[in-house]
Amino acid sequence: MGKKPQTKINLPLDWWDKLVNYCQDKKLAVTAEEVYTLTKISRRTFLDARKTNRFTEPTFDIMVQRLGCKNRDALLIILGAKSEAVKAAATRDETPGPSFLTHPNNLPRREISMVGRDEEIAKILRVLAKSNQFCLVSITGVAGVGKTALALEVAHRCLKLRDLPEGLDPNELNYDAIVWTSAKQNVLIGPSFRKCSPIQSNLFAIIREMLRVVGPEKAAAMPSEDRQREIVLEQLREKHILLIVDSIEAIVDDKVLAFLQEIPLPSKVIVTDRRAVHGYFSVHLPQLSHRDAMRLIRDLCSQGIFGRRLKLKIDQIVGLANETGGIPLAIIWTLDRIGATRFDPMTSFDGLHYAESHQLSDFLFKDSYALTTENSRLVLAALHLVHAPVEGTKLAFLLGMRKDEVADAVYQLMKLSLIAEHCPSEENRKVKTKRPPIERFYRLPALIRQYVNNHGDRLTDTSALAVKNKFHVLF
């Protein structure tokens, strides 16, 4: 009598990505090797499963146990294999609560899920609590780093009163209304930037939008501009209102900042700004960590928002995270190019150097580069010249600068997202980051290299020759 065949459990095509993302989110594992070790399932078994998208029941039960899931259904939901269960769970999670149903708002919908930024989100939400005495929160960072996405994520959490920091009373964030205004002039659509509409680029455009959301019946009477301002200030005093002003650096009307300073508690304001704003609670947004950049790439590829689901190999994901320098907008631009053109991913990474990406690199780095010091520009020029990651102490030797001067330059360039820390692999990344900044390795991602090549200061011929000669001695 023949052996009875084992029952197989079928999984969706992207089950492996979902498993890795789940392990990363729960901090159970980061790399594929760590997933194998965690589940105690052999690499061969996983490779076979990735080809067939099936597991035997005994093997699947081992995964259920090792991942700490309640039962098979719980793991199937994580892996996207029970579509109805996933749909029901998502519906329960997104079901609007009372605040969502009753409180006026004009929030745009979130286009992509938020990756990382947990620490920044928690900080902002605690400041937005009624009991906190800060009135204005400023989210700063370079273009394309995700300031708008972060402000929108925070606003949606206030609206739905979900995913709040531990210990924070939801009533502290229960706003009567949430108003979104934006002075953003350009938005990335496909490979190019296009004009935005509408634009609230002056005080009364912002006031009209607030009145439309908070008091539409009063706006219908068409009062004078001064009266509109008085009505809005009355509403801000009487109610708990959250106002968001996106891309405030594009507003040239000085009355806007004066008005925002007048807004009384318990109402609050969030502004996003490429510049550093002093005197307010400021949250600086750096580039994504290497790990979070890889997670964002995986999430975007699996969501199919670029016309199709993209399948990238691990070395391609690592390459994209490196070449874009952890700038979310650069990641989205590159993936959109891959989805639209059906180019091989590695060909598209090379495309970061093509003419059509000049507009993107100018948009991302023009303002940041203008803020750099002379020493910072020398460091950029040296990294551009040697085409390789260089340790901070070696940069001091190459440029004939003191270590403290290089450390200050590196600090500024990292804060402006103009260089990236070199992480050869996820395994030794933690070891690298424990070193002092001057002993870490730094590199120029492709888009920044392109900007420096087109617009950056260059070393003199004599200095360039000296740097090259010293570099050859070192390496």
Side-chain angles (χ1 to χ4, degrees):
M1 188 173 176
K3 187 177 179 181
K4 184 178 178 181
Q6 292 181 321
T7 306
K8 299 277 189 177
I9 294 178
N10 295 319
L11 299 175
L13 295 176
D14 60 344
W15 70 268
W16 171 253
D17 292 331
K18 290 182 182 294
L19 175 62
V20 173
N21 288 338
Y22 173 78
C23 290
Q24 290 177 343
D25 290 342
K26 295 295 182 181
K27 296 182 171 54
L28 300 173
V30 175
T31 64
E33 293 293 337
E34 291 176 358
V35 174
Y36 303 148
T37 304
L38 172 69
T39 57
K40 291 188 176 178
I41 296 173
S42 69
R43 178 199 296 267
R44 179 180 291 277
T45 302
F46 267 116
L47 292 177
D48 289 342
R50 292 180 71 178
K51 288 180 182 177
T52 62
N53 297 311
R54 292 192 300 174
F55 271 112
T56 62
E57 287 187 342
T59 304
F60 197 78
D61 288 338
I62 291 173
M63 289 176 59
V64 170
Q65 181 182 1
R66 293 294 298 169
L67 293 173
C69 299
K70 251 185 202 180
N71 48 42
R72 284 185 191 173
D73 283 349
L75 182 53
L76 288 170
I77 289 172
I78 291 167
L79 302 181
K82 290 181 72 77
S83 57
E84 290 303 317
V86 173
K87 185 177 179 181
T91 303
R92 286 195 300 273
D93 184 59
E94 295 297 328
T95 300
S99 65
F100 183 81
L101 292 173
T102 58
H103 295 353
N105 73 90
N106 64 338
L107 290 180
R109 65 188 181 91
R110 291 169 288 189
E111 297 293 339
I112 59 175
S113 57
M114 178 64 61
V115 172
R117 310 304 194 195
D118 294 336
E119 183 180 342
E120 291 86 354
I121 290 171
K123 282 182 181 178
I124 295 170
L125 287 172
R126 293 188 187 282
V127 174
L128 293 180
K130 287 181 183 178
S131 57
N132 192 292
Q133 294 304 302
F134 277 104
C135 179
L136 192 148
V137 180
S138 171
I139 303 174
T140 64
V142 299
V145 81
K147 301 183 296 295
T148 300
L150 180 62
L152 192 56
E153 178 69 23
V154 167
H156 274 281
R157 293 195 187 192
C158 290
L159 185 65
K160 298 183 180 181
L161 300 177
R162 292 201 175 104
D163 300 319
L164 304 181
E166 187 176 353
L168 184 59
D169 184 357
N171 290 322
E172 289 273 297
L173 295 169
N174 192 10
Y175 285 92
D176 297 316
I178 301 179
V179 183
W180 179 274
T181 66
S182 178
K184 194 185 291 282
Q185 298 178 356
N186 299 291
V187 64
L188 180 67
I189 300 177
S192 60
F193 289 88
R194 299 182 185 176
K195 291 290 184 183
C196 288
S197 179
I199 299 173
Q200 286 86 34
S201 58
N202 58 60
L203 176 59
F204 284 104
I206 293 173
I207 285 177
R208 280 194 298 272
E209 185 65 14
M210 292 185 68
L211 204 55
R212 186 184 70 81
V213 176
V214 179
E217 69 288 345
K218 296 181 179 180
M222 295 298 290
S224 66
E225 290 186 345
D226 289 343
R227 179 56 185 152
Q228 288 181 43
R229 188 174 184 278
E230 291 174 7
I231 293 172
V232 165
L233 284 173
E234 286 173 10
Q235 294 286 318
L236 289 166
R237 275 190 292 268
E238 295 171 3
K239 297 180 179 179
H240 188 205
I241 297 171
L242 176 60
L243 169 65
I244 300 102
V245 182
D246 185 33
S247 298
I248 196 172
E249 75 279 350
I251 298 178
V252 295
D253 188 352
D254 294 335
K255 295 178 182 177
V256 171
L257 195 55
F259 171 77
L260 297 180
Q261 291 171 335
E262 288 182 48
I263 290 181
L265 293 170
S267 292
K268 305 268 185 168
V269 183
I270 299 175
V271 300
T272 68
D273 199 337
R274 295 186 191 180
R275 307 160 300 184
V277 180
H278 302 287
Y280 306 109
F281 186 88
S282 181
V283 175
H284 178 74
L285 209 56
Q287 60 214 60
L288 288 173
S289 68
H290 191 263
R291 177 179 169 180
D292 284 340
M294 291 176 65
R295 284 181 54 203
L296 177 61
I297 294 165
R298 287 195 186 99
D299 285 356
L300 293 173
C301 288
S302 64
Q303 289 172 15
I305 61 176
F306 302 109
R308 61 186 174 111
R309 287 189 175 183
L310 305 178
K311 295 182 180 180
L312 302 185
K313 298 176 182 177
I314 184 63
D315 61 324
Q316 295 170 334
I317 293 174
V318 171
L320 178 54
N322 285 335
E323 292 303 297
T324 53
I327 303 291
L329 188 64
I331 292 172
I332 293 169
W333 180 88
T334 309
L335 291 176
D336 180 73
R337 187 171 185 274
I338 295 170
T341 60
R342 298 187 180 271
F343 278 6
D344 174 77
M346 298 311 293
T347 305
S348 295
F349 299 160
D350 294 339
L352 291 175
H353 301 280
Y354 292 163
E356 66 182 23
S357 63
H358 288 187
Q359 187 182 15
L360 176 64
S361 63
D362 289 356
F363 173 81
L364 292 176
F365 307 119
K366 182 179 179 181
D367 291 344
S368 300
Y369 189 83
L371 298 173
T372 55
T373 62
E374 182 181 352
N375 285 343
S376 296
R377 296 188 181 195
L378 286 174
V379 169
L380 283 175
L383 289 173
H384 176 266
L385 184 66
V386 299
H387 284 271
V390 183
E391 189 183 15
T393 54
K394 302 289 194 303
L395 281 170
F397 172 72
L398 292 175
L399 292 167
M401 295 167 59
R402 298 195 312 272
K403 289 183 180 180
D404 62 316
E405 291 176 328
V406 172
D408 290 342
V410 164
Y411 174 78
Q412 183 191 48
L413 293 172
M414 285 292 290
K415 192 169 183 180
L416 293 173
S417 300
L418 289 175
I419 59 174
E421 187 179 342
H422 180 59
C423 303
S425 66
E426 285 295 315
E427 285 73 16
N428 64 9
R429 183 174 180 273
K430 293 180 181 179
V431 177
K432 291 284 181 185
T433 53
K434 288 179 182 177
R435 295 180 177 179
I438 193 65
E439 295 180 10
R440 299 177 196 170
F441 283 75
Y442 300 95
R443 58 179 177 79
L444 282 188
L447 279 171
I448 303 172
R449 181 175 295 281
Q450 182 189 83
Y451 183 84
V452 174
N453 186 61
N454 293 337
H455 306 289
D457 292 347
R458 303 295 180 84
L459 297 173
T460 64
D461 292 342
T462 305
S463 298
L465 182 60
V467 167
K468 284 183 177 180
N469 289 336
K470 289 180 180 179
F471 184 76
H472 289 310
V473 170
L474 289 174
F475 300 99

